[in-house]
Amino acid sequence: MEPLDAAADVHALIRDVLPALAPSAWFDSGTSEVVLPVGRSEARASSWTVLERCAREPRSAWPKVVDEWVREVGDRAFLAVGEMELFGDVRELLRLRIVPKLAPRDREGLVVVPAGDHFDAMVMIEHPRYGGPLTKARAGLLGLHKLGYVMTNTHDRELADVAVRDQPLLPGRNVRVVTKPGSRYVSALLSEVDQFLPWPNEHGALVGVPCHSTLLLYPITSAAVRDVLPVFSDVVREMHADADDPCAPGVYWSHGERRLTPLPADPDASAEFAGLLHVLDCGELD
């Protein structure tokens, strides 16, 4: 049986048991959710989980399955009350952390969205003891649905005081360092590197994010990048290996509408980058 085939009967069972098991809760037919008041807010639990469970069981077992699920939802709502009392307004604690692309099994259950082809954006609860990645279940119980303000939180409360400095890499060639020691969120600036580069920036930049507290940038203005890339790659790899909070060991070429292209340490090993080098070799740039 498919879960939706069981919906009418299972939803009727939910309505029957709610008065006894969760008297303050009610069933929202429009969204197929059990709604549980949580302080001045409310927790919601989709019925899809219990529909899937019932679809795997004989009809005679459905009352027991529904009973167990409603109790489980009530217990989770109780925990949500405790978390809301612990955190206060948890929305104030949400941050965005950029991480290398997660495997499907690692993404499951987390509030994560793609951040390009090579990274993911993970929503975090920033708390020294009770923080960590925000799970979908936790988000539902805490009433966290529209999360567009998370990046604003991250900028305003974590990234407003990042330091930007130029540091020698090779004679006459500097790398731009964007950093905040101890921060877990500087990597969130990976999609905004243009603000740290000279303008105009026709050819983009080499980008490294060896740890979550630091970005390394090298604006590409001449074919000298051919000599810079191997050294830049070594620095990123070494910083990644030594970091307490490592992010990505590789180097990327940031170009054109925030595209990130992974680069090998050999500049001629990437056809696309080799094409750029040819353009630069033929140009009049320093």
Side-chain angles (χ1 to χ4, degrees):
M1 177 182 292
E2 295 297 321
L4 288 177
D5 296 334
D9 291 339
V10 171
H11 289 168
L13 287 170
I14 292 173
R15 291 188 188 92
D16 288 343
V17 302
L18 279 179
L21 299 182
S24 62
W26 54 281
F27 185 75
D28 185 341
S29 300
T31 60
S32 297
E33 295 174 315
V34 170
V35 183
L36 302 101
V38 180
R40 290 175 295 177
S41 185
E42 60 186 25
R44 287 177 170 263
S46 170
S47 66
W48 186 254
T49 298
V50 72
L51 290 178
E52 289 185 316
R53 292 178 185 177
C54 286
R56 296 192 294 264
E57 300 290 340
R59 189 177 295 269
S60 60
W62 289 3
K64 182 174 183 294
V65 173
V66 169
D67 185 284
E68 291 174 347
W69 178 77
V70 170
R71 293 178 188 275
E72 175 186 317
V73 167
D75 289 343
R76 288 166 52 201
F78 178 78
L79 291 175
V81 173
E83 289 198 344
M84 294 179 85
E85 291 176 349
L86 178 68
F87 293 137
D89 187 351
V90 71
R91 292 171 298 181
E92 300 294 323
L93 303 179
L94 297 183
R95 306 286 187 267
L96 196 68
R97 179 170 156 100
I98 298 295
V99 298
K101 185 71 71 176
L102 297 171
R105 65 180 179 277
D106 296 326
R107 298 171 63 92
E108 188 175 347
L110 298 179
V111 181
V112 176
V113 295
D117 295 332
H118 310 290
F119 291 87
D120 282 326
M122 177 187 297
V123 178
M124 305 286 292
I125 296 178
E126 177 58 24
H127 190 281
R129 184 172 179 183
Y130 301 105
L134 179 66
T135 64
K136 293 177 181 177
R138 204 176 196 184
L141 288 171
L142 294 172
L144 304 173
H145 303 297
K146 296 180 180 179
L147 298 174
Y149 55 85
V150 175
M151 193 61 196
T152 301
N153 279 2
T154 308
H155 270 287
D156 293 350
R157 303 179 188 193
E158 305 293 340
L159 302 176
D161 56 347
V162 295
V164 182
R165 67 176 186 269
D166 289 337
Q167 192 166 303
L169 185 68
L170 287 172
R173 305 293 171 186
N174 292 335
V175 61
R176 181 150 294 178
V177 182
V178 182
T179 188
K180 181 179 177 180
S183 173
R184 303 196 296 166
Y185 302 105
V186 176
S187 55
L189 294 170
L190 192 57
S191 63
E192 304 172 43
V193 296
D194 284 352
Q195 67 176 298
F196 301 106
L197 301 175
W199 186 262
N201 181 36
E202 181 181 357
H203 302 296
L206 302 181
V207 178
V209 53
C211 55
H212 288 283
S213 64
T214 302
L215 289 179
L216 300 179
L217 310 174
Y218 179 81
I220 300 173
T221 58
S222 76
V225 69
R226 188 189 302 273
D227 299 320
V228 169
L229 178 56
V231 180
F232 189 92
S233 297
D234 287 344
V235 170
V236 171
R237 186 171 57 253
E238 290 169 7
M239 288 182 64
H240 179 269
D242 294 339
D244 293 329
D245 191 15
C247 185
V251 173
Y252 300 86
W253 173 26
S254 173
H255 59 109
E257 297 186 358
R258 302 181 179 180
R259 285 183 59 199
L260 287 176
T261 299
L263 292 179
D266 178 0
D268 295 314
S270 166
E272 189 174 11
F273 197 66
L276 169 65
L277 291 174
H278 177 72
V279 170
L280 294 171
D281 278 331
C282 296
E284 299 297 328
L285 295 169
D286 293 335

